[in-house]
Amino acid sequence: MKRIDSAMNNNEVPGEANNTGLLDEEDVRLYQSRIGSLMWIASTSRVDILQAVVMLSRFTAAPRQEHFDRVDIIYRYLRMGRRLQRLQREEQANP
């Protein structure tokens, strides 16, 4: 069976008990917006990020900086995948 990479390792579970501070109102809205976008992406085409996004969506009411940082990690993961696909297409076009 093919192993599927995930946006978050199993041992990287952001919890409620952490030392990072709560976000201000503007950042909370930005966090909620990004989680909404990621939920749409995960439910339509990117199952590999679904577990991480669902886990982070639990904190939409009162996210902390750690949660915001994890959302950024997921976005970087998605961008990395696009770059790899582009490189693979270029390699196939120019053998």
Side-chain angles (χ1 to χ4, degrees), residues 2-88:
K2 182 181 175 188
R3 185 180 183 287
I4 300 175
D5 289 331
S6 175
M8 239 187 239
N9 294 331
N10 290 336
N11 59 352
E12 294 180 347
V13 179
E16 296 174 21
N18 58 39
N19 297 328
T20 59
L22 292 172
L23 301 176
D24 61 18
E25 270 187 55
E26 184 178 331
D27 286 338
V28 168
R29 277 188 250 122
L30 180 59
Y31 179 84
Q32 292 168 342
S33 175
R34 288 184 178 182
I35 287 291
S37 297
L38 288 171
M39 287 294 279
W40 183 82
I41 292 168
S43 66
T44 58
S45 62
R46 294 297 302 261
V47 180
D48 55 330
I49 65 170
L50 186 59
Q51 179 184 5
V53 174
V54 168
M55 189 182 313
L56 289 170
S57 70
R58 296 182 357 208
F59 304 100
T60 55
R64 296 181 179 274
Q65 184 61 47
E66 176 187 8
H67 305 129
F68 198 85
D69 294 342
R70 302 293 175 127
V71 168
D72 285 342
I73 289 170
I74 296 171
Y75 272 99
R76 283 195 307 256
Y77 174 79
L78 292 172
R79 282 193 301 270
M80 179 189 66
R82 269 192 296 174
R83 280 189 221 127
L84 289 175
Q85 287 175 347
R86 190 173 346 127
L87 288 172
Q88 287 173 347

